[in-house]
Amino acid sequence: MSPQKEQPYIGRFAPSPSGPLHFGSLVAALGSYLDARCNNGQWLMRMEDIDPPREKPGAADDILRTLEAFGFEWDGEVLYQSSRQAVYLETIYRLMADDHAYDCGCSRREVAEAELEGIEGTRYPGTCRTGAQADRENLAVRLHTDHPTPIAFKDRICGHVRQVVEDDIGDFIIRRSDGLFAYQLAAVVDDAYQGINQVVRGADLLISTPRQILLQHFLDLPTPTYAHLPLVPDEEGRKLSKQFAALPVSRERPLPALLEAYKFLGQPAFSQSPGSLQEFWEQATACWNSDRVPCNSRHTPLSEQG
Ligand code: GLU
C-alpha cells in the first residue's frame, strides 16, 4: 500500500473589521502566516464582517492595506462573510430540521434571572428547548448542546482540551434575535467552505473551539487542527511593558512591530537583525518553530485541560 499523502496545509487569518489592525491581531496574523508558509501551505484571508453594529466604516480595507504594507501575501480572493448570509441561513435551517437548534424567545433578563453559572457568564437554562416561548417576537436561535461525549481535542500549543459544552457554556446563540449570525456558526461554516485544515489564532478563542467542534459534529464537517497563540495582554494585564503595548501598528514602520510580534511568539532573536522587510520575511519563515510558542490563555480552566 502506498503511504497516505498528507493533506496540503490550508490556513487563514480572519479579522473582524471593528477597528484598525492592532498589535494583538498582528501577532495572530504573523503566527498563522509563518506557520502556513513554513509548511508550504496556503494562507487565506477572511473578513468577518457579520456584525455591522460593532464595525468601523473603512476598517476592513484599512486592515488589508496594513497587512499589505507589512508584506503579508494572502492566497486568492478575500472572503467577506457579509456575502455568505444565505449559506448561514441554510445551515441554521438544517440544524433546526435535525433538532440540533431551536428558536428562543427569552430575554437577556430572563436568562440572567435563572442564575446558572457557566464559564463565560450566565448559562442558558434551556427554557425554550421544548418551544416554551417560541411564540414571542424576535426569536434567537440556539444550538441544542446536548451531546453524548465531551468535546476533546489537542491544541498544538495549549495541549489537551476537554469540555462538556452543555455544562460549561450551555445552549448558545447561533443567530441573534436581531437576525445577525453568530461568529461561532459563521466561522465553522466558512472554515469548512474554505477548506481550512489548520486554524492558528489568538488564545481568546480557545474557549470557543469546543463549541465550533460541536457544530462541526452536528454538520458533518471535518475538524481542523487548532493552535492558539498567546494573548497580548491589555493595558491592565501588564505583561508587556507599556512601551511594547503601545507599539503602534503603523503602516509607516512595519519592521519594529513585526520584530516585536515575532519575539512575543517565543521565537529566538535572529543572529543578524533584518534590515528590510524582505530580510525579515526570509529569516522569519526559515526560523519559525511553532514548538517555541508559549501557551497563555486567559480562559483556563476549561472543564479539564492538560
Ligand atoms: N474574527 C475573529 C477576531 O478578529 C477571529 C476569528 C477566528 O480566527 O476564528 O478575533
Side-chain angles (χ1 to χ4, degrees), residues 12-18 22 25 28 46-49 81 183 187 191 199-202 204-205 208 212 226 228:
R12 45 71 153 186
F13 180 52
S16 304
S18 48
H22 54 81
S25 10
R46 180 167 83 224
M47 195 52 73
E48 300 206 321
D49 53 349
Q81 289 194 318
Y183 153 72
D191 278 339
V199 171
V200 180
R201 62 185 177 192
D204 52 331
L205 294 168
S208 287
Q212 297 183 8
Y226 289 94
H228 287 88

Side-chain angles (χ1 to χ4, degrees), residues 115 172 305:
E115 290 183 353
F172 58 92
Q305 189 169 354

Side-chain angles (χ1 to χ4, degrees), residues 24-104:
S25 10
L26 177 67
V27 166
L30 182 65
S32 60
Y33 187 80
L34 289 176
D35 203 61
R37 291 300 182 231
C38 121
N39 285 290
N40 296 318
Q42 291 187 54
W43 190 68
L44 309 185
M45 180 65 64
R46 180 167 83 224
M47 195 52 73
E48 300 206 321
D49 53 349
I50 44 161
D51 193 354
R54 297 189 58 193
E55 286 159 21
K56 291 247 161 61
D61 271 356
D62 190 67
I63 290 171
L64 296 175
R65 297 298 80 80
T66 303
L67 290 168
E68 275 171 350
F70 275 59
F72 289 94
E73 292 174 0
W74 54 90
D75 294 291
E77 301 284 316
V78 178
L79 180 70
Y80 288 88
Q81 289 194 318
S82 52
S83 70
R84 305 261 306 143
Q85 312 279 327
V87 184
Y88 305 147
L89 190 58
E90 218 172 89
T91 310
I92 297 261
Y93 287 151
R94 181 174 154 202
L95 287 165
M96 291 180 91
D98 292 346
D99 282 333
H100 291 312
Y102 59 89
D103 282 325
C104 171

Side-chain angles (χ1 to χ4, degrees), residues 2 9 25 59 66 72 111 122 154 157 174 177 192 233 245:
S2 61
Y9 182 123
S25 10
T66 303
F72 289 94
V111 177
T122 324
K154 184 164 187 243
I157 294 165
I174 50 177
S177 58

Side-chain angles (χ1 to χ4, degrees), residues 176-209:
R176 293 176 2 195
S177 58
D178 58 7
L180 296 178
F181 296 99
Y183 153 72
Q184 311 290 357
L185 178 94
V188 163
V189 169
D190 288 340
D191 278 339
Y193 173 68
Q194 293 184 289
I196 306 297
N197 51 29
Q198 297 281 341
V199 171
V200 180
R201 62 185 177 192
D204 52 331
L205 294 168
L206 184 63
I207 198 175
S208 287
T209 305

